[in-house]
Amino acid sequence: MSADFLVIGAGVAGLSFALRAARYGSVVVLMKGGAYQSNTAWAQGGIATVLPDGMCSSGDGVESHVADTLDAGAGLCNEAAVRTIIGEGAATIEDLMGYGMEFDRKDGRFELGTEGGHSHRRVLHTRDTTGLKIATALIEAVRETPNITLLEQHVAIDLITTAKLGAVADDRVLGAYVLNAKTNEVRIFRADRVVLATGGCGKVYLYTTNPDSATGDGVALAWRAGASIANMEFIQFHPTCFYNPGATGPEARSFLVSEAVRGEGGILINAKGEDFTLQSDHRGSLAPRDIVARAIDRELKRSGADCVYLDITHKPKGFMPERFPYIYQNLLNFGLDCETQPIPVVPAAHYQCGGVVTDVAGRTGITGLYAIGEVACTGLHGANRLASNSLLEGNVMARLAVADCLHRFAPGKPVPAAPVIPEWEPGNTAEADELVVIYHNWDEIRRLMWDYVSIVRTDNRLRRAAARLRNLGKEVREFYWGHRVNADILELRNLVTAASLIVDCAVRRKESRGLHFTLDHPGTAERLRHDTVLRKF
Ligand code: SIN
C-alpha cells in the first residue's frame, strides 16, 4: 500500500494533519485500536488560548500565557517554540471550529476556565469532555474526506528508512512495516512523508490517566530508526486521578478528575480537612502540577493514608452537574456524590513532556519523518507542561508540519529513487505459546516504574530500575524474535523501550528540575539547564 502521507496515530495532532494534508495528496491514518482510544478523546480540561482583545480575560495577553508556560517549564522551555505555538492559539480555535467544534459560551462570549499555573482564565472548553468533542468533530470530518483512508487495528512495527537499508549518506524515511491486528498480516506501507502522532507513554506506569493505547509507540519507533529523543525524565503526574481501589477495567482505574475542578474552587485536603498544599506554594491547589503532585506524595508518605481528597462541596448545588456533567455522573456511578462528599484522589502518570526531538513543524533529524503532538519534544513544555497547552500544540504542529511538507517535498515533486524495500523479516514464526511472559513483563515494567521512577526519585532506585529494564528488554527482544508478531508483543516491545528511555534520561539529570525530583540532588543547577538528548546510533 502507498500514500503521499502516512500518519501513525489519530488524536488531535494526527487528525488535524490528515485533514489539512488531504487537500494536497492521499493520506493513510493508522490507528492501533478504535477511533476514540486516544489521549485527545480522554482530555477533559480544554485548550489554553489567548483570544484577540475583548474576547479574553481582562489583563490577559499572549505575553502572560508565554510567561506562565515558561514559569511552569522551569528553565527548559525553548522560548521561540513557546512564542510560536502560543501565538497560534486563536488560529487553532478557528481551525477546530471550521470542523464543527463548539466551545462553551456565556452571554455570547467564550466561557473561560483556568487550571494550575495559569495567571488568567483562558481555557476554552466544552463542559468536561472537550477532548471527546474535538475527536468526534475531527473523526467525522476525516470520514467525509475521500482522500483519507482511516485504518483501525493497524499497528506500526518499525519505520523503514534509507539508513536502515544500508544507505547512510542520506537518511530518509520510506514508510513503515505495519501489522493488521485483525488478520495478523504484515504489509509495507510506502510513503515519503511519515508522521508520528502516537501520543505519550502513560501505560509505562502502574497508575495512569491514559488509555491503554498510550504505550510510547512513537518514541520507540523513532528511537529504533535512529532519531534523537530528549527529556523523557519529565513525566507529568496529574494530581487528581480518582482513587478507586475496587475499580475493574482501565476506564474506571484511570478516571481523571479534571484540574478545571480546582480552577473552579476545588481544594485538596487531607483526611483531617487541612489544605496541606499551602505548605508547598502560596497558590495552593492551583500551583503547577509538579508542585501539587509532590505535595500530595509528601502528604501520603507523612500520614500513611492511601489518598487525599478534592473538596468541591462548598459550591452551590447544581454547579457540578452543570459545569462538569461527565465527572459528576461518573462519580455517581462509582457511588460518590461530589456535591456532598470530597472526592478521594491520588496522582497518576498523565503526560510525556519529552519525546522525539523536533522543531515546531515536527521535523525530526530523518528526512520526511515528522513527529507532532505529545510524542514530540519541541521545547514548549520544558521540564513541566502548563495545563491545557497540549491540544493547542497538537493542532498548531499539525498545521505547521503540513506547510513544511509542502515546502520541502510537496506530493508530485521528484524525490530520489528509493532502494528496494525487503519484505518484513518475521523472525521465528512459532505462535506465542506463553502469553503469560508478556503479561508478566508488562506488569513488572509498570510496577517497577511506579515504585522506582515516579514522583520522587533517588540515584539508587534509578540504578535498580535501569538494571532490571536491561534484563526485561533482553527478554522482550528474545520473545519478539522467537515468535510470530502480534499486537501485544509489539506494545510490550515499545513499552520497555519507552521505560528505558525515561530511566536513561533520569539517570543523567543530576539535579531536581520541574517534574524530575530526586532526593540525592534536591537543588537546581544552572550548569545543567539543558535538554537530556539520547540517540541510538
Ligand atoms: C485536566 O483536565 O485536568 C487535564 C488537562 C491537561 O492535562 O491539560
Side-chain angles (χ1 to χ4, degrees):
M1 181 156 200
S2 70
D4 293 313
F5 303 91
L6 174 64
V7 181
I8 306 175
V12 66
L15 296 171
S16 299
F17 181 96
L19 285 163
R20 195 158 277 246
R23 300 174 194 168
Y24 309 98
S26 58
V27 185
V28 168
V29 180
L30 305 179
M31 292 181 295
K32 273 200 313 189
Y36 295 95
Q37 288 171 21
S38 64
N39 267 341
T40 293
W42 281 31
Q44 295 177 0
I47 304 189
T49 314
V50 175
L51 296 164
D53 271 356
M55 291 165 79
C56 57
S57 306
S58 103
D60 198 11
V62 167
E63 281 309 312
S64 301
H65 191 179
V66 166
D68 293 346
T69 302
L70 296 176
D71 182 45
L76 277 200
C77 294
N78 172 337
E79 188 168 338
V82 172
R83 288 187 179 281
T84 302
I85 292 169
I86 302 290
E88 284 285 317
T92 283
I93 298 303
E94 198 180 313
D95 190 55
L96 294 175
M97 289 178 66
Y99 296 116
M101 177 66 194
E102 285 181 12
F103 295 93
D104 290 345
R105 293 171 191 255
K106 200 169 180 185
D107 304 328
R109 291 165 63 97
F110 288 117
E111 192 180 76
L112 302 172
T114 191
E115 294 179 45
H118 286 279
S119 57
H120 292 84
R121 285 189 167 264
R122 59 167 79 99
V123 180
L124 273 77
H125 54 83
T126 309
R127 296 289 188 273
D128 51 356
T129 48
T130 312
L132 183 61
K133 297 289 181 340
I134 292 174
T136 305
L138 296 181
I139 286 166
E140 280 174 9
V142 160
R143 289 202 164 123
E144 284 164 12
T145 306
N147 237 2
I148 305 180
T149 308
L150 196 58
L151 296 175
E152 297 189 3
Q153 314 266 345
H154 277 67
V155 188
I157 302 174
D158 271 319
L159 296 171
I160 306 166
T161 61
T162 49
K164 283 204 141 187
L165 299 183
V168 272
D170 152 44
D171 196 8
R172 202 153 59 82
V173 74
L174 300 170
Y177 293 108
V178 177
L179 171 77
N180 177 338
K182 279 182 284 194
T183 61
N184 254 14
E185 266 174 315
V186 177
R187 274 203 289 171
I188 295 169
F189 277 61
R190 179 74 184 87
D192 289 312
R193 302 150 209 88
V194 176
V195 180
L196 299 173
T198 48
C201 65
K203 287 310 262 195
V204 153
Y205 287 94
L206 191 57
Y207 301 110
T208 175
T209 62
N210 291 183
D212 278 353
S213 54
T215 48
D217 302 340
V219 161
L221 286 165
W223 171 253
R224 289 194 291 271
S228 299
I229 309 293
N231 291 359
M232 289 294 287
E233 68 271 41
F234 301 120
I235 298 293
Q236 185 172 72
F237 288 80
H238 196 293
T240 56
C241 184
F242 181 47
Y243 175 68
N244 191 6
T248 50
E251 292 194 26
R253 272 198 306 274
S254 301
F255 183 60
L256 177 73
V257 182
S258 176
E259 190 152 318
V261 174
R262 278 175 280 140
E264 297 302 335
I267 292 172
L268 284 162
I269 54 172
N270 59 20
K272 290 187 189 153
E274 296 158 343
D275 178 354
F276 58 90
T277 57
L278 283 169
Q279 289 162 18
S280 304
D281 192 287
H282 69 278
R283 291 166 288 186
S285 296
L286 269 187
R289 280 190 194 158
D290 56 332
I291 297 170
V292 178
R294 273 198 300 279
I296 297 175
D297 189 73
R298 242 190 325 272
E299 179 61 24
L300 294 179
K301 291 202 169 102
R302 188 198 62 74
S303 64
D306 291 327
C307 63
V308 295
Y309 298 87
L310 176 58
D311 187 10
I312 188 80
T313 56
H314 48 280
K315 283 296 222 191
K317 192 158 174 52
F319 172 79
M320 283 302 287
E322 166 61 20
R323 171 66 180 85
F324 299 105
Y326 175 73
I327 294 173
Y328 174 76
Q329 190 53 51
N330 263 294
L331 291 175
L332 266 191
N333 296 346
F334 292 128
L336 187 124
D337 178 359
C338 63
E339 291 202 298
T340 55
Q341 295 164 277
I343 310 163
V345 289
V346 282
H350 183 62
Y351 197 87
Q352 168 192 305
C353 293
V356 186
V357 176
T358 70
D359 62 8
V360 286
R363 280 171 67 197
T364 69
I366 299 173
T367 305
L369 179 66
Y370 290 76
I372 58 177
E374 185 172 354
V375 67
C377 179
T378 57
L380 171 67
H381 309 307
N384 179 29
R385 178 182 67 110
L386 184 67
S388 283
N389 265 356
S390 40
L391 292 171
L392 173 66
E393 183 184 44
N395 175 271
V396 172
M397 289 189 81
R399 289 186 285 115
L400 297 179
V402 173
D404 196 82
C405 276
L406 294 178
H407 175 63
R408 279 165 212 286
F409 6 76
K413 262 196 188 172
V415 288
V420 175
I421 300 174
E423 284 305 315
W424 167 242
E425 158 65 67
N428 192 328
T429 51
E431 284 299 338
D433 51 348
E434 295 208 314
L435 286 180
V436 66
V437 175
I438 297 186
Y439 299 129
H440 176 83
N441 285 355
W442 177 272
D443 290 346
E444 186 172 348
I445 294 166
R446 300 184 67 209
R447 180 162 287 285
L448 89 86
M449 289 299 286
W450 186 259
D451 288 343
Y452 293 162
V453 199
S454 60
I455 299 170
V456 175
R457 302 164 180 180
T458 65
D459 283 348
N460 213 2
R461 288 181 209 160
L462 291 178
R463 263 196 303 272
R464 277 170 199 239
R468 191 64 200 114
L469 283 168
R470 263 195 301 279
N471 287 337
L472 281 163
K474 196 162 155 275
E475 280 171 30
V476 171
R477 262 193 309 282
E478 281 166 11
F479 200 84
Y480 170 78
W481 286 111
H483 296 90
R484 185 192 291 274
V485 74
N486 67 34
D488 288 341
I489 298 178
L490 294 177
E491 283 198 327
L492 179 64
R493 178 178 177 234
N494 292 338
L495 198 80
V496 74
T497 302
S500 303
L501 288 167
I502 294 169
V503 173
D504 289 351
C505 285
V507 161
R508 283 166 173 74
R509 188 164 289 285
K510 302 284 187 214
E511 63 163 353
S512 292
R513 182 186 292 277
L515 297 159
H516 175 73
F517 182 81
T518 156
L519 293 174
D520 290 315
H521 311 279
T524 301
E526 184 54 25
R527 72 190 160 77
L528 297 176
R529 189 153 76 84
H530 52 74
D531 295 337
T532 316
V533 183
L534 303 177
R535 253 190 93 167
K536 188 168 182 194
F537 47 83

